[in-house]
Amino acid sequence: MEVKRPEWTSHFSFIAATVGSAVGLGNIWRFPYIMGKNGGAVFLLTYLLLIAFICIIPLCCELTMGKIYKKDAINTFSAINPKYKWFGWLCIFTVTLIPCFYFVVGGWILNYIWVFLTGNLPDNFAVYFSNFSSQIFMPCFLTILFLILTAIFPYRGVNSGIEKANNIMMPAFTLFLFILAVFALTLPGAKDGLLFMFKPDFSQFDKTMILTALGQALFTLSIGMGTILTYGSYMKENTNILKSAYTLIICDTIIAISAGIMIFPIVFSFGVQPSAGATLAFISMPQMFSELPFASVFGLVFFILLFFASITSGISMMETTVAAFMDNLNISRKKSTILTVFIIGLISIPATLSFGVLKDFKLCDKTIFDFLDYTTSNLFLPFNTLIICLIAGWCIPYFWEKAFGKGFIGSIFNILLKFIVPFILICVLVSGI
Ligand code: TRP
C-alpha cells in the first residue's frame, strides 16, 4: 500500500526539526570542551571556516537527495543506482549505533534533573558521578527511560510527533540557553572566559586541531547518516536548499558559541581548567552550580537544556531508522518504532554498563561506550560523508545545479564537491585510522 509521504506543515517546522537534530550534546557538551582542549579562539576560527565552506557541501547534498527522491536513506541510494543499496544500509547501521551511546548520556541527564529537582545535592560531584555511573540498575533504567521518551515522537508520526516536539522544545531550549548565558556574563570570570573564546593565540594552530575541528563540524551537523536526507525528504517542493542549509549552519553555530559563552565565564570564575574534558558537564558544572545562590534553579535549567538538546537529536536519529525499516521491511510506523527501540535498547545496556561492571571489557583497547563513540564519529561519519559526496558529485548528472544553483557560487561549490571536500575527507579518514 502506497501511503502519501508526510510533509512539514511550515518552513519554520522544517528549520526547527533540522536545527533540533543538529543541536545536541555535540553543541552544549562536546563543542565547549573540544574548544577548551584546542586553545579557544584559534579553534573557533578554524571551525567557522570549515563549517561555512566545507561542511556546507555534504549538508546540501543530503538535503537535495531528500528533496529529489522523497524516500528513506536506503531507497534513496538504491534509486540512484541499485548497486548503492548497501550504502543506504550502512547509513542506517551508523545512525542506529549512535543512540546506543548517546542515550546513556541522556540517562545521566535525567538523573541530574532529578537531583536538582529534589534539591538533594551531593557535596562532591566527582565522587557522586563515578558512584552513580558505575551502578547497574539505575543507569540502565534511565537509559531505557530516555530511549522510550524519545521513541514516543517517531511513534506518533512526523506531524503529530516530531514536528510538535521540535516546535515546542527548540524555542524553549533557546530561551533557557540565553538566560543562562546572560547570567554567566554577570560572574567575575566573564572577562577571562570571553578572552579565552575570542582572542586567538596562533601558536595553538596545528594539523590535528584542523582535523578535530572538521570532525566536530560533521558531528554537530548530523551529516553522513541519512538523517538530514530523511528530514529533507519531508520538505516542501519550493524550499531553497542553499538558504536552508546556511540557516541551519548559522543557528547551530550561534547555539554552540552561546553554550561557550554560558560555560567559560563559569569555568573561569571557579578556577576549573577549561580543558577539563567530558566531565565538564557532569562534574565541574553541577559542582559550580551547587556553590551558587539558587543552586537548584540554575542546575535544573542547565540539565533541562541538555535534555531538550539531546532528545531532539535523538528523535532525528530514531526517525532515520524508523523510516528506513518502515519502507524496507514493509511494516507500520508503530511496529518499526518498536523494532528500533528493541535494537537500540539491546546495545545500549552493555554501553551503559561499560562505566561499571563491564569497564574492563575492551574492544580495540576501548570500553564499549568509547568504542561506539570512536568508530561512529571518527570512522563511519567521515567515510559515509565521503561516499555521499562522491555519489552526488560523480554519479548523479547535474546534481550540483539542483543543490547549489547554476550561478557562480554553484560552479565553485561544484569544484568543492567533486575534488576538494573528498580530498579533505580522505585526509581525515587516514589520520583517524
Ligand atoms: N548533531 C548531534 C549533536 O550535535 C549529534 C549527531 C551526530 C546526530 N550524528 C547524528 C544526531 C545523526 C542525529 C543524527 O549532538
Side-chain angles (χ1 to χ4, degrees), residues 259-376:
I261 295 181
M262 158 181 84
I263 286 179
F264 289 119
I266 302 185
V267 161
F268 279 92
S269 301
F270 285 87
V272 177
Q273 281 300 318
S275 55
T279 56
L280 207 54
F282 293 97
I283 297 177
S284 319
M285 291 295 281
Q287 189 72 47
M288 293 182 277
F289 283 126
S290 71
E291 288 166 28
L292 289 169
F294 307 113
S296 330
V297 180
F298 283 118
L300 191 60
V301 172
F302 178 70
F303 284 103
I304 291 181
L305 192 92
L306 279 180
F307 174 74
F308 284 159
S310 52
I311 196 163
T312 49
S313 298
I315 291 172
S316 75
M317 299 176 202
M318 285 191 79
E319 172 62 15
T320 315
T321 313
V322 168
F325 283 171
M326 260 168 75
D327 292 346
N328 291 277
L329 308 178
N330 282 325
I331 49 179
S332 68
R333 173 170 279 279
K334 298 201 153 81
K335 280 197 187 128
S336 173
T337 312
I338 294 170
L339 177 64
T340 310
V341 166
F342 186 73
I343 297 174
I344 298 175
L346 213 61
I347 309 175
S348 61
I349 296 281
T352 312
L353 295 177
S354 69
F355 289 87
V357 283
L358 293 181
K359 79 173 176 299
D360 295 321
F361 180 83
K362 299 273 165 78
L363 295 163
C364 301
D365 220 21
K366 291 183 162 47
T367 63
I368 302 171
F369 181 97
D370 289 338
F371 179 78
L372 289 171
D373 183 7
Y374 183 85
T375 46
T376 49

Side-chain angles (χ1 to χ4, degrees), residues 8 10-23 162-163 165-168 170-171 231 248 312:
W8 305 115
S10 66
H11 188 63
F12 175 81
S13 299
F14 167 57
I15 295 293
T18 41
V19 173
S21 168
V23 171
I162 301 174
E163 186 167 328
N166 284 302
N167 284 355
I168 297 171
M170 287 319 289
Y231 272 14
L248 168 59
T312 49

Side-chain angles (χ1 to χ4, degrees), residues 199-266:
K199 191 164 160 256
D201 164 11
F202 286 99
S203 65
Q204 299 270 357
F205 195 81
D206 66 18
K207 197 176 94 231
T208 40
M209 196 264 292
I210 302 179
L211 296 178
T212 313
L214 187 66
Q216 168 63 18
L218 292 176
F219 185 84
T220 184
L221 292 177
S222 312
I223 301 175
M225 334 206 149
T227 297
I228 295 294
L229 184 157
T230 307
Y231 272 14
S233 74
Y234 306 137
M235 83 168 90
K236 283 190 192 299
E237 209 35 65
N238 57 2
T239 313
N240 180 315
I241 302 267
L242 201 57
K243 248 200 214 152
S244 311
Y246 271 114
T247 311
L248 168 59
I249 284 187
I250 290 170
C251 292
D252 185 79
T253 309
I254 290 179
I255 288 175
I257 293 178
S258 310
I261 295 181
M262 158 181 84
I263 286 179
F264 289 119
I266 302 185

